[in-house]
Amino acid sequence: MTLGPTIDGGRLLARLDAFAAIGGTPAGGVNRPALSVEDRAARALLARLGAARGFSVFQDAAANLFLRRSGADNDRPPFMIGSHLDSQPTGGRYDGALGTLAALEVLETLEDNGIVTASAVELVAWTNEEGSRFSPGAFGSQVHATGVFPDGWQDTVDGNGIRLADELAATLAALPEAIERPLGLPAAGYIELHIEQGPLLERQGALIGVVEGIQGTRWLEVVIEGQVAHAGTTPLADRRDAMAVAAAIIARLQATVMPSDSDARLTVGRLTLVPGAVNVIPGEVTFSIDLRHPNGGEIDRLEAEIGALAAETAASGGCRVSLRRSMDVAPAHFDDRLTGIIQSVAEKRGFPTRRMFSGAFHDALFMARLGPAAMIFVPCRNGLSHNEAEYVEPHQAIAGTQVLCDATLEAMQLGKHR
Ligand code: HGY
Ligand code: MN
Ligand code: MN
């Protein structure tokens, strides 16, 4: 196996700085919500940079953005690399941006070295991976993989009542130079570089994570309905306090789910209550549950357990409860040959590697449904992510990008990947 061309680390780091400034926050993080003005600015810069190198710019109806570098046989499905540009509200500068800009660096390195690849290579920036502004997450890759938009997406609004459909239309219109393309065009394979967003690589002194799969994720929306009443005059026996019931449910879940299964992850990340006045007993509380597990059957069992516990707790507090799924992605397993290639090119570069599973979901999980897919992780300081302090050492970002370049070229030698 001969190693590929050397990527331009300085160019990569400069690009990371340039994109971090789009939606940059005073604390050094990034707030670039999906389909926002900031997201559109990042997409426009990416398209401009790609067009300047002669790459063709496409977008599909989900606003997934593609930069295409032609190969010898452009009738064959392209090999795809990429990630996402949207961020959490208090996000970091590497989550998604690293994989997207590493893919741009790979395309530019191939161009700089005049390398003719067997088929085209395409960078993809997926729409709304985070799901924090509009559920579900991994929206763009899900639409790409399934060919259809999620049920009810036309009614989806963000916390300010702004419609997903309107923001999507505005984002598409904001990039008139992009050529429209149909949903779900085939790919020969897909590799995504991403930060680990956890502490394992750093703790084990590994530089490259060879990711073998992604655990399942299910998002639930729990609505507790009680009765609005006066805080001062209503005795306990007369209360139907939606907040008291929500707090009891959350406390019981936190005390049981993760303590009894070290593979389970349960997070209540968002809670709203109505009317939200200091001296009024809340009549309605809505909170989110982010439930994850490597075993899809366990997610089903836990969801049933959560439903039963919520119903019992709500009834004892004189309230009603309803649960709705707002996202549901099954665990994904990556292609053994692609993970084998990632491991061998990383070792050839002398980078310590570690095989692992991803606790975070990524767009690669949907690409794994279409064909061969795999991921490369690099460490992030203290395993912190979805946090403005997110940080990746320059040599880590460069090493991950070099492995992405080498693995892409090696994978394309495989011919038919499955
Ligand atoms: O939530 C996730 O797993 C991803 O980082 N958006
Ligand atoms: Mn991400
Ligand atoms: Mn993220």
Side-chain angles (χ1 to χ4, degrees):
M1 176 191 295
T2 50
L3 285 176
T6 305
I7 63 116
D8 181 336
R11 180 169 58 192
L12 171 73
L13 298 176
R15 291 277 159 70
L16 282 165
D17 287 344
F19 278 76
I22 304 174
T25 63
V30 168
N31 178 11
R32 197 164 54 222
L35 303 174
S36 63
V37 168
E38 295 79 9
D39 192 15
R40 290 172 206 151
R43 292 161 49 84
L45 176 55
L46 183 64
R48 239 185 351 266
L49 292 168
R53 294 306 304 264
F55 308 143
S56 312
V57 181
F58 299 88
Q59 63 183 357
D60 64 18
N64 294 313
L65 179 59
F66 305 85
L67 299 185
R68 179 183 173 91
R69 181 177 183 268
S70 298
D73 178 355
N74 293 303
D75 294 333
R76 281 169 53 174
F79 197 88
M80 285 172 67
I81 53 179
S83 191
H84 62 94
L85 287 174
D86 65 302
S87 83
Q88 289 287 338
T90 55
R93 55 173 44 200
Y94 301 95
D95 177 358
L98 175 63
T100 306
L101 297 175
L104 177 62
E105 178 52 38
V106 169
L107 289 187
E108 294 210 67
T109 299
L110 298 179
E111 195 65 14
D112 294 343
N113 290 272
I115 292 175
V116 180
T117 49
S119 66
V121 181
E122 290 193 357
L123 172 159
V124 54
W126 299 109
T127 301
N128 187 26
E129 186 278 342
E130 294 293 355
S132 50
R133 182 183 182 197
F134 299 113
S135 291
F139 175 85
S141 51
Q142 177 179 329
V143 174
H144 173 87
T146 61
V148 294
F149 283 71
D151 290 344
W153 79 282
Q154 298 267 17
D155 304 323
T156 301
V157 295
D158 69 5
N160 299 315
I162 298 173
R163 293 179 71 239
L164 162 57
D166 295 340
E167 292 291 79
L168 179 58
T171 301
L172 289 167
L175 208 59
E177 66 271 33
I179 305 160
E180 269 184 58
R181 69 161 35 171
L183 289 175
L185 293 184
Y190 176 78
I191 300 178
E192 178 169 354
L193 169 65
H194 205 285
I195 55 173
E196 177 199 340
Q197 300 182 293
L200 301 180
L201 289 175
E202 187 178 61
R203 279 196 192 137
Q204 311 234 343
L207 181 48
I208 297 293
V210 181
V211 188
E212 298 182 303
I214 299 183
Q215 67 179 344
T217 298
R218 189 167 293 172
W219 288 353
L220 304 174
E221 187 177 83
V222 184
V223 181
I224 314 285
E225 290 173 85
Q227 184 176 55
V228 174
H230 194 294
T233 57
T234 313
L236 181 58
D238 300 287
R239 289 181 177 222
R240 293 198 290 119
D241 182 339
M243 186 61 220
V245 165
I249 291 170
I250 294 167
R252 288 181 68 185
L253 291 177
Q254 299 289 11
T256 52
V257 173
M258 290 180 71
S260 56
D261 178 350
S262 60
D263 284 334
R265 298 285 183 274
L266 180 136
T267 309
V268 176
R270 184 161 45 204
L271 183 144
T272 55
L273 54 74
V274 176
V278 173
N279 50 356
V280 178
I281 298 171
E284 182 177 303
V285 172
T286 302
F287 64 88
S288 63
I289 292 179
D290 176 311
L291 183 63
R292 310 207 189 188
H293 201 286
N295 176 324
E298 277 305 295
I299 292 179
D300 291 335
R301 190 186 62 76
L302 285 167
E303 182 183 24
E305 205 175 277
I306 290 166
L309 182 155
E312 181 200 323
T313 314
S316 67
C319 292
R320 282 207 311 267
V321 63
S322 60
L323 285 87
R324 179 181 73 84
R325 281 186 199 173
S326 61
M327 179 175 176
D328 185 20
V329 286
H333 290 274
F334 291 144
D335 185 275
D336 294 340
R337 279 160 303 173
L338 289 186
T339 54
I341 284 173
I342 291 166
Q343 174 129 17
S344 50
V345 299
E347 287 171 350
K348 216 159 185 64
R349 291 277 177 185
F351 301 149
T353 65
R354 178 192 196 278
R355 285 192 172 248
M356 59 197 298
F357 220 61
S358 174
F361 65 76
H362 298 283
D363 296 303
L365 71 86
F366 280 108
M367 288 305 282
R369 296 186 187 179
L370 292 182
M375 292 188 75
I376 304 161
F377 276 173
V378 289
C380 48
R381 188 165 55 193
N382 303 324
L384 262 188
S385 180
H386 286 189
N387 180 309
E388 294 174 282
E390 183 181 278
Y391 183 73
V392 176
E393 301 286 347
H395 77 276
Q396 294 167 334
I398 292 168
T401 303
Q402 185 64 65
V403 170
L404 178 65
C405 188
D406 296 343
T408 299
L409 288 171
E410 200 56 38
M412 294 181 80
Q413 300 308 317
L414 278 179
K416 198 79 194 104
H417 297 286
R418 197 180 261 286

